[in-house]
Amino acid sequence: MKDYIEVDEWKIIEQGFDPANNKISESIFSLGNGRMGQRANFEETYSGESLQGNYIAGVYYPDKTRVGWWKNGYPEYFAKVLNAANWIGIDILIDEEQLDLAKCEIIDFRRELNMKEGYLKRNFAAKTVGGKIVKVETIRFCSMADDEAGAIKYTITAINFDGVFSITPFIDGDVINKDSNYDEKFWDEVKKETWPTGGYLQMRTKKTGFEVATGMEFRIFLDEGSINPNAETLVKEKYLSAKIELKANKDQPVTIIKYAANLSSQNYEAAKLAESLKETLSGISGKGFDNMLAEQAAAWADKWKHNDIIIEGDAAAQQAIRFNIFQLNQTYTGEDDRLNIGPKGFTGEKYGGSTYWDTEAYCVPFYLSTADQKVTRNLLLYRYKQLGKAIENAKLLGFTGGAALYPMVTMDGTECHNEWEITFEEIHRNGAIAYAIFNYVRYTADDAYLTDYGLEVLVAIARFWSQRVNWSDDKKQYVMLGVTGPNEYENNVNNNWYTSKLATWCMQYTMDAAEKVKVADPAKYAALVSKLNFNEAVETARFRDIIEKMYYPYDEQQQVFLQQDGYLDKEQILVKDLPASDRPINQKWSWDRILRSCYIKQADVLQGIYFFEDQYDIDTIRRNFDFYEPRTVHESSLSPCVHAILAAKLGDEERAYQFYLRTSRLDLDDYNNDTEDGCHITSMAGTWMAVVEGFGGMRVRGGKLSFQPFLPAKWKSFSFHIGFRGALINIKVSKDGVQIKNLSGSETSVLIYNKEQLVKANDELLVEV
């Protein structure tokens, strides 16, 4: 665990520079706008440890699989988000000496992420080997108003000398990916062009054929006045730059403003990319840096107005939740149903930038409550549009009749994960997709989604489950063999409780949804039955038989659901009794030892109880929580949030708060020693859930929002906004009670501690505790 980020409610601050923390900071201070993202690499040359990263949404490459052998059903590649052309680069020479913080003496350094207004600011003073001292201030952002653009204001001042600055803004497409095989480079140059104040580079990905045009336009200022310097242009393969030499007078600031844009062939005809890029650069440079920054602040103000969480009395908790919300909003805006959310977002390469089940299980609740419902609808449409490939994927594994198995990892719907115990066996991801449909419809009442899209997906998933089980003559029940649950420290187990529970729930929900659609729109239902060749009587009879006769492992003595058959055969040593030197076990133990242990990577049985808590009484939830949590090492970023929510439900304030801090400050404090390769974006949605569903106790009950809030002892109050079926409300929990503000033009009602409260339009009321 690291402790170098200063606590501030609206800012992430690094005071002083430690090269050992640089890659961590590059992740934490990352910027994005839904279309593009940029790690917090320095603009000037840095020869120390760094992970360069500039990412374009939806652009990927089919990297070679890492597997040294082959099995039927294996994907041919692992789709990976690519490091794209470096647009931030500005080389600085001081009287022919390179400005490089790995080689200079750093006199002062401060890096600041302003989350309120959406920009990254860096200040430093450095002394070169030759003894020249300069002061630098940089501000940059990825524009939320112009979501294919970014801008940089870089000011350098000579402190103890008169001399010459050589300033070279550049675009560099000769980039590598750290997380790839065989040191292969993925881009080919298509064309490039320069002009006196800028230029562009257009490149194409190998195999996938995406084209991206990256361009820059720059302006130079002495003091605050613009000048027209002579620029020396340099071009080479996958690279272009403009070198400007200026007299550096002591205490006179020199500023370069660099406007940049990344345009993709996903959104433009490849032949027109260059033309469109020039128009974009002209538009943003015409606005000017200050106007763009003002637009950025306004765009973020609008976002914070709807999704801020305010915590009084605990600055570290306040900073953490805003950091998580900030990164989520930078990563996904919901404007494009071809895009989704990678576990690292735009902050790093790990997990390939691909889509996992994290989106449906953890991100959907956040976007449902904090954004227009079209945002979540687009997340569901992403999966609907890939249903054909999910059916193809299931067919490769031997399933028939329109059964669908959604990929564990994907960019375009094709499975691209190649570890057999995950690819073939971590099939609970199918259930998460079905649950997201249920969650969306329950929350929005958008029943039309079921009719037009959702039921088709549900039928395909239910067909998969009905074929994936088999009848056990020994048990006289249906069983689910050879699976991996959410706890990936168990592979190839039989009868994982969570997977089996999801399977039967999916089949039941499919039948319920089918009946709902049949009643609401008989003609569309009949057309869908014909399209899917859905033999309702035969197929639903099998669904019901499986639901009725499914086997679930259970321990009578402890009265808990067993994670899988044989779980209690393992040596039951609790996590608290593990030597500290053995933690984290995924970095200290062999895989064989982990698999034979009782230790749980993340919520597994408890994930199912979180999804289906209405089916269990409080004693059942408590028994299972008290049994499994002490065996959980929380070595997945997705683990603490579920435990925080369940602990809150159980009234266990101490553990709920402990798990909240762990999930909210996971990256800021580098809990798992892995932030350097990117932030844990999808688990950040779980942080929001820990506050709203945990401390706020928010649920949807009978078409209404229900709250069972409590106030953590360290907090004076907390408040959050919730959008629900056209209404926007604010809930504030304090020692005085629960304040409800209706920010909408029509009355709304909510349940507070199971009692209905009617709030008039643009009014508020206080429910005393």
Side-chain angles (χ1 to χ4, degrees):
M1 178 177 169
K2 309 295 190 302
D3 185 22
Y4 73 94
I5 297 297
E6 293 187 3
V7 172
D8 184 282
E9 293 187 351
W10 275 111
K11 296 175 181 177
I12 308 300
I13 299 168
E14 177 185 14
Q15 190 71 48
F17 182 66
D18 182 348
N21 293 332
N22 186 49
K23 288 199 290 187
I24 299 170
S25 293
E26 287 178 340
S27 297
I28 291 173
F29 291 85
S30 294
L31 296 173
N33 60 15
R35 288 280 180 201
M36 56 186 262
Q38 173 66 54
R39 283 173 62 84
N41 311 119
F42 297 159
E43 290 87 358
E44 73 278 353
T45 295
Y46 181 68
S47 60
E49 282 289 313
S50 176
L51 174 60
Q52 185 73 39
N54 171 45
Y55 310 109
I56 311 301
V59 174
Y60 66 93
Y61 178 84
D63 199 13
K64 297 180 182 72
T65 178
R66 293 177 183 270
V67 185
W69 62 92
W70 207 255
K71 289 182 172 62
N72 286 334
Y74 265 3
E76 295 182 359
Y77 63 84
F78 193 115
K80 291 182 175 177
V81 66
L82 293 181
N83 185 16
N86 174 10
W87 62 269
I88 67 168
I90 304 173
D91 277 342
I92 304 290
L93 294 180
I94 303 163
D95 286 341
E96 300 304 318
E97 280 190 275
Q98 187 86 53
L99 179 59
D100 179 351
L101 293 188
K103 297 177 179 178
C104 294
E105 177 189 344
I106 300 174
I107 300 170
D108 187 32
F109 183 94
R110 177 185 173 92
R111 184 159 27 188
E112 173 190 301
L113 180 64
N114 186 313
M115 299 182 289
K116 190 172 186 178
E117 298 182 3
Y119 64 82
L120 174 61
K121 183 177 181 180
R122 184 169 56 105
N123 298 83
F124 68 86
K127 182 190 289 186
T128 68
V129 174
K132 294 181 171 63
I133 298 174
V134 294
K135 181 176 68 175
V136 173
E137 177 177 281
T138 77
I139 299 175
R140 79 168 181 247
F141 56 92
C142 292
S143 174
M144 300 295 281
D146 299 288
D147 65 5
E148 294 165 319
I152 302 167
K153 184 178 183 181
Y154 192 102
T155 300
I156 181 169
T157 305
I159 300 300
N160 66 342
F161 67 97
D162 292 330
V164 175
F165 286 151
S166 176
I167 301 173
T168 306
F170 64 84
I171 303 292
D172 183 8
D174 191 21
V175 294
I176 62 171
N177 274 48
K178 178 183 177 182
D179 187 26
S180 61
N181 294 330
Y182 315 120
D183 298 319
E184 183 177 3
K185 292 188 177 182
F186 304 133
W187 295 95
D188 288 325
E189 181 180 311
V190 176
K191 60 181 177 178
K192 58 179 172 279
E193 180 184 346
T194 63
W195 51 87
T197 56
Y200 74 86
L201 175 66
Q202 185 168 331
M203 300 202 300
R204 180 188 298 120
T205 59
K206 299 175 183 178
K207 296 184 182 179
T208 44
F210 294 107
E211 293 196 21
V212 175
T214 301
M216 67 175 180
E217 181 75 22
F218 63 85
R219 303 287 184 269
I220 301 290
F221 298 82
L222 285 179
D223 294 314
E224 295 183 0
S226 64
I227 62 173
N228 294 309
N230 292 322
E232 178 186 344
T233 299
L234 172 65
V235 295
K236 55 185 179 181
E237 186 180 5
K238 303 181 188 177
Y239 177 92
L240 60 89
S241 67
K243 182 179 180 180
I244 306 108
E245 290 195 347
L246 296 168
K247 182 171 172 43
N249 295 319
K250 183 174 177 289
D251 296 327
Q252 182 183 41
V254 177
T255 298
I256 177 171
I257 294 179
K258 183 179 183 181
Y259 306 96
N262 288 294
L263 271 61
S264 164
S265 59
Q266 283 193 304
N267 306 308
Y268 301 86
E269 291 181 36
K272 296 182 179 179
L273 267 177
E275 177 186 345
S276 300
L277 177 71
K278 290 178 181 178
E279 290 175 0
T280 301
L281 288 172
S282 176
I284 60 177
S285 61
K287 285 183 185 180
F289 185 88
D290 290 343
N291 286 333
M292 287 186 71
L293 190 59
E295 289 181 344
Q296 178 81 342
W300 274 103
D302 187 58
K303 287 185 177 296
W304 287 117
K305 184 168 60 178
H306 293 279
N307 57 35
D308 191 17
I309 290 178
I310 299 173
I311 298 171
E312 292 186 294
D314 189 340
Q318 176 68 86
Q319 178 188 46
I321 190 61
R322 282 186 173 139
F323 176 68
N324 285 262
I325 294 170
F326 179 78
Q327 290 290 358
L328 284 162
N329 278 290
Q330 289 198 128
T331 302
Y332 184 76
T333 61
E335 297 298 323
D336 190 336
D337 63 24
R338 298 169 300 173
L339 302 179
N340 209 283
I341 306 159
K344 294 290 185 180
F346 294 123
T347 70
E349 301 171 18
K350 194 174 180 183
Y351 304 114
S354 299
T355 299
Y356 287 64
W357 67 287
D358 307 17
T359 292
E360 284 75 25
Y362 298 92
C363 297
V364 159
F366 170 78
Y367 291 106
L368 274 175
S369 295
T370 65
D372 189 281
Q373 77 179 47
K374 74 175 183 180
V375 172
T376 307
R377 205 172 200 265
N378 278 344
L379 286 174
L380 300 187
L381 285 172
Y382 175 89
R383 295 292 194 179
Y384 173 77
K385 291 182 176 182
Q386 295 176 0
L387 178 58
K389 290 190 176 182
I391 292 172
E392 290 176 15
N393 184 44
K395 191 174 181 180
L396 284 172
L397 303 184
F399 294 85
T400 61
L405 175 60
Y406 276 91
M408 183 66 187
V409 177
T410 195
M411 281 288 190
D412 65 355
T414 304
E415 176 66 80
C416 57
H417 196 282
N418 49 32
E419 297 174 50
W420 65 269
E421 69 275 16
I422 306 299
T423 307
F424 302 154
E425 298 197 338
E426 199 166 336
I427 53 178
H428 65 83
R429 74 249 195 181
N430 248 18
I433 291 166
Y435 189 85
I437 295 171
F438 160 76
N439 212 4
Y440 170 79
V441 174
R442 171 180 65 172
Y443 196 93
T444 64
D446 182 8
D447 292 336
Y449 184 83
L450 272 183
T451 303
D452 296 337
Y453 308 105
L455 183 56
E456 190 172 347
V457 173
L458 291 171
V459 168
I461 289 175
R463 284 169 164 170
F464 170 83
W465 291 123
S466 72
Q467 295 177 45
R468 187 57 172 77
V469 302
N470 63 273
W471 179 256
S472 166
D473 284 333
D474 177 59
K475 289 183 170 62
K476 305 302 180 188
Q477 289 179 286
Y478 289 98
V479 294
M480 183 93 70
L481 307 178
V483 299
T484 298
N487 172 27
E488 292 173 341
Y489 290 174
E490 299 273 11
N491 297 153
N492 196 34
V493 302
N494 292 335
N495 300 307
N496 171 256
W497 181 86
Y498 172 72
T499 305
S500 297
K501 176 67 184 175
L502 264 183
T504 55
W505 175 85
C506 284
M507 288 183 277
Q508 183 61 59
Y509 180 55
T510 299
M511 291 189 292
D512 295 343
E515 187 62 28
K516 193 172 189 177
V517 171
K518 184 194 299 186
V519 171
D521 197 328
K524 281 191 175 180
Y525 180 75
L528 190 60
V529 166
S530 176
K531 176 183 178 181
L532 302 180
N533 195 24
F534 181 47
N535 190 326
E536 182 179 1
V538 172
E539 294 192 58
T540 59
R542 177 162 173 81
F543 296 165
R544 291 189 181 94
D545 193 48
I546 295 169
I547 293 167
E548 180 184 346
K549 299 171 184 175
M550 192 71 178
Y551 165 73
Y552 304 100
Y554 185 79
D555 182 64
E556 293 288 350
Q557 182 177 348
Q558 311 230 31
Q559 293 187 293
V560 295
F561 307 119
L562 284 184
Q563 187 174 262
Q564 73 269 340
D565 285 350
Y567 180 75
L568 289 179
D569 291 337
K570 294 170 176 283
E571 190 175 15
Q572 299 293 313
I573 300 174
L574 302 184
V575 174
K576 69 179 179 63
D577 297 321
L578 268 178
S581 59
D582 283 7
R583 303 286 304 278
I585 63 172
N586 64 10
Q587 296 177 22
K588 301 295 182 64
W589 285 12
S590 70
W591 191 240
D592 168 72
R593 188 179 180 188
I594 290 173
L595 291 174
R596 289 186 286 108
S597 77
C598 70
Y599 300 120
I600 302 169
K601 181 183 179 186
Q602 67 189 80
D604 194 303
V605 168
L606 297 183
Q607 181 76 38
I609 288 176
Y610 162 69
F611 274 168
F612 307 118
E613 65 171 34
D614 289 347
Q615 299 181 20
Y616 308 108
D617 60 42
I618 199 70
D619 290 335
T620 299
I621 296 173
R622 180 173 285 107
R623 283 195 306 273
N624 281 276
F625 186 85
D626 289 343
F627 180 80
Y628 283 108
E629 195 286 317
R631 292 162 171 79
T632 304
V633 290
H634 301 291
E635 289 173 10
S636 164
S637 65
L638 300 174
S639 188
C641 61
V642 172
H643 289 80
I645 295 165
L646 291 179
K649 182 177 179 63
L650 294 170
D652 189 339
E653 178 185 330
E654 182 179 349
R655 282 197 286 186
Y657 185 76
Q658 168 195 337
F659 287 126
Y660 164 74
L661 277 186
R662 178 156 183 167
T663 187
S664 65
R665 297 195 66 86
L666 182 74
D667 290 310
L668 289 177
D669 295 336
D670 195 22
Y671 264 93
N672 288 345
N673 197 33
D674 61 358
T675 303
E676 67 177 30
D677 56 29
C679 293
H680 298 81
I681 301 299
T682 47
S683 75
M684 289 177 171
T687 300
W688 179 91
M689 289 159 52
V691 175
V692 175
E693 297 183 11
F695 304 137
M698 189 191 85
R699 305 291 189 273
V700 178
R701 309 275 192 220
K704 288 182 168 46
L705 287 178
S706 172
F707 299 90
Q708 300 271 350
F710 75 88
L711 185 66
K714 293 186 177 182
W715 297 359
K716 293 180 181 178
S717 72
F718 70 98
S719 65
F720 51 87
H721 290 86
I722 295 294
F724 182 73
R725 301 188 182 182
L728 179 65
I729 65 170
N730 177 267
I731 299 291
K732 182 176 182 179
V733 182
S734 68
K735 293 177 182 177
D736 296 329
V738 182
Q739 183 185 57
I740 314 160
K741 289 184 180 179
N742 181 2
L743 305 175
S744 311
S746 56
E747 68 180 23
T748 190
S749 63
V750 298
L751 299 171
I752 306 290
Y753 303 118
N754 299 319
K755 183 177 180 181
E756 187 167 355
Q757 305 288 341
L758 183 66
V759 192
K760 295 179 181 178
N762 301 305
D763 200 2
E764 63 184 74
L765 63 84
L766 178 68
V767 179
E768 296 182 355
V769 179

